[in-house]
Amino acid sequence: MSAEVETSEGVDESEKKNSVAPEKENHTRMADLSELLKEGTKEAHDRAENTQFVKDFLKGNIKKELFKLATTALYFTYSALEEEMDRNKDHPAFAPLYFPTELHRKEALTKDMEYFFGENWEELVKCSEAAQKYVERIHYIGQNEPELLVAHAYTRYMGDLSGGQVLKKVAQRALKLPSTGEGTQFYLFEHVDNAQQFKQFYRSRMNALDLNLKTKERIVEEANKAFEYNMQIFNELDQAGSALARETLEDGLPGHDGKGDVRKCPFYAAQQDKGALEGSSCPFRTAMTVLRKPSLQFILAAGVALAAGLLAWYYM
């Protein structure tokens, strides 16, 4: 009798061990920082990848002037990020992820800036207001909470490695840039032979960081903030777009006033269909005028630049 009970209990213990093992393995996998980031930023990622900017860029709908300004926004972003990475290269929560030779983009972006703007490019460019807020956040994290710096590094560099080659080809084709790489050095990782293998290696380094679960959750939260900074750029663009219809012509360019062959104006054709032609003003020439303003150029540039980074998440 006792033997039967003992055997039964032995089987129960064995079954318990067998059932606990997969659970423990699954829990360990889900506690990995890379997995937490992937799952924890999924909603923000989904919102980002459905923005019009991402769709347009993928289709090659981008003007050279905006691409030049987008490169400007990237330059300021990576300058801030890599400054803080250099500052924290010996910090235990970041040191294992410090790969300046393989990943740093500032030098490549400097070459792109020189290509687009000339040798005196530093005198010609500035950072947009929304992009500046993101830059300030990166500096704050690097100087006050360096354990969260991985959120920004992972979001940027893994995305660049994932979709960089696709974006490079889109830009070269749409803007007729040289196939030899001028103007798209940012997307070229000369010291990474195999992007997929390097990403796996980087993730393994992330997962090996000695961080408690609370810190990992804070890193995921910070990564979501990075997405929010991106979305603030898009909100800025939405506001700019709404302002286009309200702006008046300031440089004397002729615009539609409802007279002439309105069939040649898509705005008036649409308004005529709605019976709302009277009292309307055409926004298309207004848009061209407003977009010549430096402030809006930089707003759009920052949006395109950050959208490029978000697009790269398609391929992670």
Side-chain angles (χ1 to χ4, degrees):
M1 184 73 173
S2 62
E4 290 180 7
V5 173
E6 184 177 347
T7 301
S8 176
E9 289 177 350
V11 171
D12 289 342
E13 287 300 320
S14 176
E15 289 177 349
K16 287 179 181 178
K17 290 180 181 178
N18 290 335
S19 63
V20 167
E23 292 178 4
K24 183 177 181 181
E25 180 180 350
N26 185 58
H27 175 73
T28 300
R29 183 180 67 81
M30 290 306 296
D32 284 345
L33 181 55
S34 62
E35 290 293 330
L36 290 172
L37 278 168
K38 181 179 179 180
E39 292 300 318
T41 60
K42 188 178 186 303
E43 182 179 344
H45 180 202
D46 290 344
R47 291 200 309 271
E49 70 181 9
N50 284 299
T51 62
Q52 194 61 45
F53 280 98
V54 173
K55 295 176 181 177
D56 286 345
F57 194 97
L58 187 61
K59 294 176 182 177
N61 295 335
I62 181 173
K63 300 299 182 181
K64 190 170 185 177
E65 200 60 34
L66 286 182
F67 189 79
K68 289 167 59 178
L69 294 170
T71 303
T72 302
L74 287 170
Y75 173 81
F76 284 110
T77 299
Y78 280 91
S79 293
L81 180 56
E82 289 166 10
E83 179 182 340
E84 296 307 327
M85 289 168 63
D86 288 342
R87 186 196 308 276
N88 292 283
K89 62 183 180 181
D90 297 320
H91 192 285
F94 188 77
L97 303 176
Y98 184 68
F99 296 100
T101 301
E102 291 83 358
L103 295 179
H104 281 197
R105 300 287 84 204
K106 183 178 179 180
E107 183 178 345
L109 282 163
T110 298
K111 294 178 182 178
D112 289 339
M113 295 294 282
E114 290 177 352
Y115 172 79
F116 285 125
F117 295 98
E119 293 182 358
N120 64 333
W121 62 270
E122 291 180 284
E123 302 173 7
L124 304 175
V125 301
K126 64 179 180 179
C127 189
S128 75
E129 182 179 348
Q132 182 62 33
K133 290 180 180 179
Y134 185 52
V135 165
E136 290 173 358
R137 178 63 183 178
I138 291 173
H139 282 309
Y140 174 84
I141 291 300
Q143 296 170 27
N144 298 281
E145 300 180 83
E147 66 276 11
L148 304 184
L149 194 58
V150 58
H152 298 280
Y154 175 76
T155 300
R156 291 303 322 180
Y157 293 112
M158 295 301 97
D160 297 332
L161 283 169
S162 297
Q165 293 307 303
V166 173
L167 295 175
K168 177 183 177 181
K169 292 177 181 178
V170 169
Q172 287 177 332
R173 181 174 61 252
L175 305 177
K176 296 180 173 56
L177 296 174
S179 59
T180 47
E182 289 87 343
T184 54
Q185 288 294 305
F186 168 73
Y187 301 105
L188 178 62
F189 290 81
E190 292 183 316
H191 299 285
V192 176
D193 295 329
N194 187 305
Q196 188 62 34
Q197 290 181 3
F198 187 88
K199 287 190 296 180
Q200 292 175 354
F201 169 69
Y202 194 91
R203 290 189 183 102
S204 69
R205 283 291 188 97
M206 285 177 51
N207 295 335
L209 291 174
D210 187 15
L211 304 170
N212 58 40
L213 183 58
K214 181 63 176 178
T215 301
K216 292 179 181 179
E217 291 173 346
R218 290 173 58 216
I219 290 172
V220 173
E221 181 180 353
E222 185 65 24
N224 276 297
K225 285 182 179 179
F227 274 103
E228 288 303 318
Y229 278 104
N230 293 334
M231 299 307 292
Q232 285 178 18
I233 299 294
F234 302 139
N235 290 336
E236 198 173 46
L237 290 167
D238 288 340
Q239 294 171 10
S242 297
L244 295 180
R246 298 192 300 268
E247 290 285 347
T248 58
L249 297 176
E250 296 180 355
D251 60 359
L253 288 177
H256 269 299
D257 57 3
K259 299 177 181 179
D261 188 358
V262 297
R263 292 174 300 176
K264 296 181 180 180
C265 176
F267 171 75
Y268 275 102
Q271 293 295 87
Q272 194 173 43
D273 289 341
K274 298 176 182 178
L277 185 57
E278 185 175 356
S280 299
S281 61
C282 178
F284 291 103
R285 286 192 180 275
T286 301
M288 294 304 296
T289 303
V290 174
L291 287 176
R292 290 191 179 94
K293 296 182 179 181
S295 59
L296 283 180
Q297 285 182 349
F298 281 104
I299 288 173
L300 290 171
V304 174
L306 292 172
L310 293 172
L311 173 62
W313 280 80
Y314 276 126
Y315 304 95
M316 291 190 67

